[in-house]
Amino acid sequence: LREEKSVSKNVTVVILAGGQGTRFWPMSRVKKPKQFLSMLDTGHTLIQETVKRLKPLVSEENCVIVSSAEHYSLVKEQLPKVQIISEPRGRNTAPCIGLAALYLLRNNPESVMIALPADHVIKDEEKLVQAFRQGIEAASSRDVLVTLGVPPTHAHTGYGYIKKGEGTAGGLYRVASFHEKPTLENASKYIESGDFYWNSGMFIWRAEVILDAIEQHIPALHASLMRINEAIGSGSEQAVVKEEFEKITPVSIDFGVLEHADNCEVIPAEPFGWSDIGSWDAWAEYFVEKKANFIKGQALLIDSEGCIIHSEHRMTAVLGLNDLVVIDSGDATLVCKRERVQEVKKIVDELRRQEKENLL
Amino acid sequence: LREEKSVSKNVTVVILAGGQGTRFWPMSRVKKPKQFLSMLDTGHTLIQETVKRLKPLVSEENCVIVSSAEHYSLVKEQLPKVQIISEPRGRNTAPCIGLAALYLLRNNPESVMIALPADHVIKDEEKLVQAFRQGIEAASSRDVLVTLGVPPTHAHTGYGYIKKGEGTAGGLYRVASFHEKPTLENASKYIESGDFYWNSGMFIWRAEVILDAIEQHIPALHASLMRINEAIGSGSEQAVVKEEFEKITPVSIDFGVLEHADNCEVIPAEPFGWSDIGSWDAWAEYFVEKKANFIKGQALLIDSEGCIIHSEHRMTAVLGLNDLVVIDSGDATLVCKRERVQEVKKIVDELRRQEKENLL
């Protein structure tokens, strides 16, 4: 216990909350994306859930939320005690992880960072915490970039996969390779082999180690971060951050760093009921089994199977349609086939093109 | 002209406005069914349109609306000058036509009745009026029950058909037989033969002649009507009408009388762009060609063809669905396949079973 305490004091959780949640239109909106919504009827928003489930590791004060500047007051309102880093512009995950690492490193050279998205769902939170403890142990004692790997339950084509290599210390494995969202055929092969994990997008590393890796694999980003570093604490800090973020090329930490680094490891977590709740389909499957009707609000279904209905403002009646999704936000209604929920952002793109700002 | 004037003075238009319009849920509601709605963007409701298009034949004062007692003030508001007969209970068309005939006959033994539904659409109103003139001529001079036949344009399975027999006077034909809504195969045969018309549900006869036919073919109804006749003008008139309508067996004038009568004739009208606007599908086809997207209000369609969207209260976005119908009334949304719009009343039936009175 004493040892864990001493490790934990170095740990900061960095929550990446810059997403727009466009696949959850019309509920998720530019002004209030999905991570700030109470999507799961728990009485808490997704980002509040994320902070809450990590309390056994770190207090709210030791959480840093990296989010869009325009959501500052939303974060402040939902999580009054967290630290907030405002991105002047969304530049994907590598720049905001780098920026967070910079701040952490200035405070504590031994700083261990857990980086994770704001909008995931975990059913068995204790197992998650256990996996993070393994990761903290590894990242504290070795110069490694650790990804939390989720044992796959089926050939999901919406997730990235990690192939494990040889075992290292503490039950971890070296990463043999990262694989982007695969075809169904490839996903099935991955599952059969038993050597693959889903990439959870949850990482553990020391701030120093990830900054070194950024320097090696995205030197331009590192240079920007160094210019920001010089300005920190001065009157021009905000201006420099803004200026550099204008210039930075958007890139994910996976694509920009991890796929090139040779010090990546993976923790094969015990199954903890993970979902990235990446679509209305995944949202419904959180509540009911795959392909069952799921209704939130008022609905009447006649000859209709496998439908997802979110209708809290009025009655939605569906007649003779299977696998339909109807989401009514009050000022907009989405109707689409369940198999096409991944494309909902096309609607948002089109509304943006039509300059329908109030519907974005 | 003088002759027509003398004929016209006997003519009363009886508009059957007792329908519930359940296939137009959620727009059409128990408290305000489709005939009282401005469905066609003309600035008038369907029942107002019906009165208006017959103005070349009869004034508003010579129109009688037969409608449910609960819609009395709706009729009064929309058509202040018409006469109103309130049905205490909907009993299909034969009882209300009989009741109207009774009142007309008391006022004028030569009374000629044009009976027609309140919710049809006619594109060429002049041709309709011309057909009615033929019918008035025939019904004034012969003891016949005249139906206005519409030359069919395609093998519609939602209409009744009339087979013509030998020609009579004035361009009319005897009716060889009436045929209920046919199968597609039979409908196709009917069209090929050239001997069939759509049954428009628009009739011309003298009040005396239809009452005689009711006496012959539905004697129980005739007996009820005679009891009402005795009470007319007395203090018990309303009570007797109510009592008799409780007892009367519901039956249509087609099924109860016309199919059995041997004095039926049909006017083969010149095509006048008739539709009974019997479903959301027919409604859309009033505005655009069959199978085209039709949008009233705000909608965004992506990869979606042949959709009917009525969304005046919010944006409706449809992704990847063909032949979809979405109707948003404000307090309810209907989503169904275009090919199943005839079944919308199943939703109303189910809402009634669930006692959701405010949604009926």
Side-chain angles (χ1 to χ4, degrees):
Chain A
L1 191 68
R2 199 177 51 83
E3 192 192 16
E4 184 181 310
K5 271 242 151 170
S6 76
V7 169
S8 283
K9 77 173 167 38
N10 292 329
V11 176
T12 304
V13 168
V14 174
I15 298 173
L16 310 177
Q20 293 195 53
T22 48
R23 279 175 298 184
F24 282 88
W25 187 88
M27 290 299 175
S28 176
R29 304 297 267 268
V30 164
K31 286 195 166 50
K32 199 170 187 178
K34 119 196 207 211
Q35 57 271 29
F36 300 108
L37 301 177
S38 181
M39 301 278 294
L40 303 175
D41 289 342
T42 58
H44 298 102
T45 65
L46 292 177
I47 198 168
Q48 285 174 327
E49 289 289 342
T50 302
V51 169
K52 190 165 147 277
R53 79 168 65 96
L54 296 174
K55 286 229 164 121
L57 288 173
V58 296
S59 64
E60 190 173 324
E61 289 85 346
N62 279 326
C63 289
V64 175
I65 311 283
V66 188
S67 66
S68 160
E70 66 177 318
H71 299 136
Y72 181 89
S73 46
L74 215 45
V75 178
K76 208 72 196 162
E77 183 191 311
Q78 298 195 355
L79 296 162
K81 297 181 200 158
V82 296
Q83 303 167 55
I84 303 175
I85 296 178
S86 290
E87 295 178 285
R89 262 189 101 127
R91 288 301 191 204
N92 210 330
T93 51
C96 69
I97 284 173
L99 186 62
L102 209 61
Y103 285 107
L104 298 192
L105 196 59
R106 289 175 71 98
N107 286 335
N108 176 0
E110 299 298 312
S111 187
V112 175
M113 175 196 293
I114 294 178
L116 79 172
D119 52 5
H120 287 186
V121 162
I122 308 289
K123 289 205 170 161
D124 190 337
E125 305 194 336
E126 231 171 85
K127 283 184 184 159
L128 176 77
V129 167
Q130 182 48 42
F132 276 133
R133 287 202 173 107
Q134 270 181 274
I136 293 165
E137 179 69 31
S140 301
S141 55
R142 303 201 296 279
D143 292 350
V144 286
L145 304 171
V146 180
T147 301
L148 211 151
V150 175
T153 57
H154 62 285
H156 202 295
T157 57
Y159 294 147
Y161 286 72
I162 298 171
K163 186 177 184 186
K164 70 177 175 186
E166 67 199 55
T168 59
L172 278 71
Y173 293 88
R174 293 183 62 84
V175 171
S177 49
F178 288 91
H179 298 260
E180 300 278 311
K181 295 172 184 178
T183 60
L184 185 61
E185 198 190 340
N186 282 340
S188 303
K189 282 184 197 159
Y190 296 168
I191 305 290
E192 266 173 53
S193 78
D195 291 336
F196 286 79
Y197 301 100
W198 286 333
N199 184 346
S200 67
M202 298 189 268
F203 309 108
I204 309 107
W205 43 55
R206 292 205 313 287
E208 183 193 0
V209 177
I210 191 68
L211 278 173
D212 284 351
I214 289 172
E215 180 171 21
Q216 192 179 344
H217 303 293
I218 325 176
L221 171 58
H222 190 263
S224 281
L225 293 172
M226 289 306 104
R227 282 190 289 274
I228 290 169
N229 195 35
E230 277 168 38
I232 288 177
S234 79
S236 63
E237 178 178 341
Q238 291 306 314
V240 174
V241 171
K242 195 167 186 309
E243 192 188 328
E244 295 300 330
F245 264 71
E246 283 299 318
K247 291 190 295 193
I248 287 169
T249 306
V251 64
S252 72
I253 198 75
D254 304 66
F255 189 76
V257 176
L258 303 183
E259 294 186 14
H260 309 290
D262 56 8
N263 57 336
C264 292
E265 298 197 4
V266 58
I267 306 168
E270 266 194 83
F272 46 62
W274 170 76
S275 165
D276 75 342
I277 306 280
S279 66
W280 285 115
D281 198 29
W283 173 77
E285 284 172 26
Y286 171 82
F287 296 98
V288 295
E289 58 176 324
K290 206 169 165 67
K291 297 299 166 201
N293 279 327
F294 177 65
I295 295 170
K296 187 174 178 188
Q298 293 180 78
L300 179 64
L301 303 183
I302 295 181
D303 295 344
S304 300
E305 301 294 331
C307 296
I308 301 170
I309 315 289
H310 192 330
S311 178
E312 294 185 310
H313 302 275
R314 75 206 85 250
M315 166 64 73
T316 294
V318 178
L319 169 68
L321 281 153
N322 293 336
D323 305 316
L324 191 77
V325 177
V326 182
I327 312 289
D328 179 333
S329 68
D331 64 347
T333 306
L334 163 71
V335 187
C336 81
K337 284 291 271 188
R338 199 160 174 158
E339 71 212 32
R340 296 190 69 171
V341 285
Q342 296 289 341
E343 298 170 54
V344 168
K345 56 186 172 183
K346 284 184 183 172
I347 291 167
V348 180
D349 292 344
E350 180 58 25
L351 291 171
R352 184 169 287 120
R353 202 190 60 76
Q354 293 183 10
E355 298 181 352
K356 296 212 154 56
E357 303 298 332
N358 60 328
L359 288 170
L360 294 177
Chain B
L1 192 68
R2 199 176 52 83
E3 191 192 17
E4 184 180 310
K5 269 244 152 171
S6 76
V7 168
S8 282
K9 77 170 166 43
N10 292 329
V11 176
T12 304
V13 167
V14 174
I15 298 173
L16 311 177
Q20 292 193 55
T22 47
R23 279 175 297 186
F24 283 89
W25 187 89
M27 291 299 176
S28 175
R29 304 296 267 268
V30 164
K31 287 195 166 50
K32 199 170 188 178
K34 113 194 209 215
Q35 58 270 29
F36 300 107
L37 301 178
S38 181
M39 301 277 295
L40 303 175
D41 290 343
T42 57
H44 298 101
T45 65
L46 291 178
I47 197 167
Q48 285 174 327
E49 289 288 342
T50 302
V51 169
K52 191 165 145 276
R53 79 168 65 96
L54 295 173
K55 285 228 164 120
L57 287 174
V58 295
S59 64
E60 191 173 323
E61 288 85 346
N62 279 326
C63 288
V64 175
I65 311 284
V66 189
S67 66
S68 161
E70 67 176 317
H71 299 137
Y72 181 89
S73 45
L74 215 44
V75 178
K76 207 73 198 162
E77 183 191 310
Q78 297 194 358
L79 295 162
K81 297 182 201 158
V82 297
Q83 304 167 54
I84 302 174
I85 297 179
S86 289
E87 296 178 285
R89 261 189 100 126
R91 288 302 192 204
N92 210 331
T93 51
C96 69
I97 284 173
L99 186 62
L102 209 60
Y103 285 107
L104 298 193
L105 196 58
R106 288 177 71 99
N107 286 337
N108 176 1
E110 298 299 314
S111 187
V112 174
M113 176 197 293
I114 293 178
L116 78 171
D119 51 4
H120 286 186
V121 162
I122 308 289
K123 289 205 169 162
D124 190 338
E125 304 194 337
E126 230 171 86
K127 283 184 183 159
L128 176 77
V129 167
Q130 182 48 41
F132 276 133
R133 287 202 172 107
Q134 271 180 275
I136 293 165
E137 179 70 31
S140 301
S141 56
R142 301 200 298 280
D143 292 350
V144 285
L145 304 172
V146 179
T147 301
L148 211 151
V150 176
T153 57
H154 61 286
H156 201 295
T157 57
Y159 294 148
Y161 285 72
I162 298 171
K163 186 178 184 187
K164 70 176 176 187
E166 67 198 55
T168 60
L172 277 70
Y173 293 88
R174 293 183 61 84
V175 171
S177 50
F178 288 91
H179 298 261
E180 299 279 310
K181 295 172 186 178
T183 60
L184 185 60
E185 198 190 339
N186 283 339
S188 304
K189 282 184 197 157
Y190 297 168
I191 304 292
E192 266 173 54
S193 79
D195 292 335
F196 287 79
Y197 301 100
W198 286 333
N199 183 345
S200 67
M202 298 190 269
F203 309 108
I204 310 107
W205 43 53
R206 294 207 311 288
E208 183 193 1
V209 176
I210 191 68
L211 277 174
D212 285 350
I214 289 173
E215 181 171 21
Q216 192 180 343
H217 302 292
I218 325 177
L221 171 57
H222 191 262
S224 280
L225 293 172
M226 288 307 104
R227 283 190 289 273
I228 291 170
N229 195 33
E230 279 170 36
I232 287 176
S234 78
S236 64
E237 178 179 340
Q238 291 307 313
V240 174
V241 171
K242 195 168 185 310
E243 193 188 328
E244 294 300 330
F245 264 71
E246 283 300 316
K247 292 190 296 195
I248 287 169
T249 306
V251 63
S252 72
I253 198 75
D254 304 67
F255 188 75
V257 175
L258 304 183
E259 293 186 14
H260 309 290
D262 56 9
N263 57 336
C264 293
E265 298 196 4
V266 58
I267 305 169
E270 265 194 82
F272 47 62
W274 170 74
S275 165
D276 75 342
I277 306 281
S279 66
W280 285 115
D281 199 29
W283 172 77
E285 283 171 27
Y286 171 82
F287 296 98
V288 294
E289 59 176 323
K290 207 170 163 68
K291 297 299 166 200
N293 279 327
F294 177 66
I295 295 170
K296 186 173 179 188
Q298 294 179 77
L300 179 64
L301 304 184
I302 296 182
D303 294 346
S304 300
E305 302 294 331
C307 296
I308 300 171
I309 315 288
H310 191 329
S311 178
E312 294 184 309
H313 302 274
R314 75 208 83 251
M315 166 64 73
T316 294
V318 178
L319 169 67
L321 281 152
N322 293 335
D323 304 316
L324 192 77
V325 177
V326 182
I327 311 289
D328 180 335
S329 68
D331 63 348
T333 306
L334 163 71
V335 186
C336 81
K337 283 292 271 188
R338 197 158 176 161
E339 72 211 32
R340 297 192 68 172
V341 285
Q342 296 289 341
E343 298 171 54
V344 168
K345 56 186 170 183
K346 283 185 184 172
I347 292 168
V348 181
D349 292 344
E350 180 58 24
L351 291 171
R352 184 169 286 120
R353 203 190 62 74
Q354 293 183 11
E355 297 181 353
K356 296 213 152 60
E357 303 299 331
N358 60 326
L359 288 169
L360 294 178

